[in-house]
Amino acid sequence: MKHLTLSLMTLSLVLSAAIFGFFYAWVCSTMWGLDDTDARVAIQAMQAMNGSVRNMVFAPAFFGTPLCLAATAALLLKQKHRSAGVFFAISALTYLCGGLILTMSINVPMNEALGAVTVPTDLAQAQIIWGEYSPKWQFWNQFRTVVSGLSFVLALMGVMQFSKQR
């Protein structure tokens, strides 16, 4: 049982760190780069990235993180590691609400709307479209980045609590 517990905690940390890093990269490089380019190129590039992110490499971190965190919490609570289990449970809820659900309810619909746009040949029209999309999308991405980082820290605190209880 000890190996299962340690394996689940490790996987929880890896998945939490992966999704935090994914969102963080959008904050500090991808969107800044797109904002600094021709709006027609930014729209086209964002459409391509949004289309390519739906893959089996991304899915485990995006969808699996709250499941793994919750499974870790349940196992720890079953083993009477209450404080560690509670940290993992809060971590799971934090990412579920502020990462996964937020993304599915805000960022994904914005991405789908942008995906339906025909990239205009007129630069001014493209700048209007990108100007309406990018700031709002970035705000919510920054929010989910902070929440995902918090989720990772909470899971790490769960590991520290587990270490104290052993």
Side-chain angles (χ1 to χ4, degrees), residues 41-115:
V41 172
I43 294 167
Q44 189 173 23
M46 192 68 167
Q47 289 172 333
M49 287 184 278
N50 288 332
S52 71
V53 78
R54 297 177 186 130
N55 63 64
M56 293 311 297
V57 177
F58 174 70
F62 184 70
F63 295 109
T65 296
L67 299 174
C68 191
L69 289 165
T72 304
L75 182 61
L76 288 166
L77 291 170
K78 182 179 179 189
Q79 295 174 351
K80 308 292 188 229
H81 295 286
R82 187 181 185 300
S83 59
V86 167
F87 273 111
F88 274 93
I90 295 170
S91 175
L93 285 170
T94 299
Y95 174 72
L96 178 67
C97 295
L100 194 140
I101 292 173
L102 178 130
T103 299
M104 298 303 290
S105 62
I106 296 176
N107 292 86
V108 169
M110 290 182 70
N111 294 345
E112 290 173 350
L114 187 69

Side-chain angles (χ1 to χ4, degrees), residues 1 7 57 63 65 79 100 138 140 151 163:
M1 198 61 116
S7 295
V57 177
F63 295 109
T65 296
Q79 295 174 351
L100 194 140
Q138 288 188 61
W140 290 111
S151 176
S163 297

Side-chain angles (χ1 to χ4, degrees), residues 17-29:
I19 198 64
F20 169 61
F22 176 81
F23 293 150
Y24 178 73
W26 284 91
V27 170
C28 64
S29 62

Side-chain angles (χ1 to χ4, degrees), residues 142-158:
Q142 290 167 8
F143 184 87
R144 68 186 180 172
T145 301
V146 169
V147 169
S148 297
L150 176 61
S151 176
F152 172 74
V153 169
L154 288 164
L156 188 57
M157 290 172 72

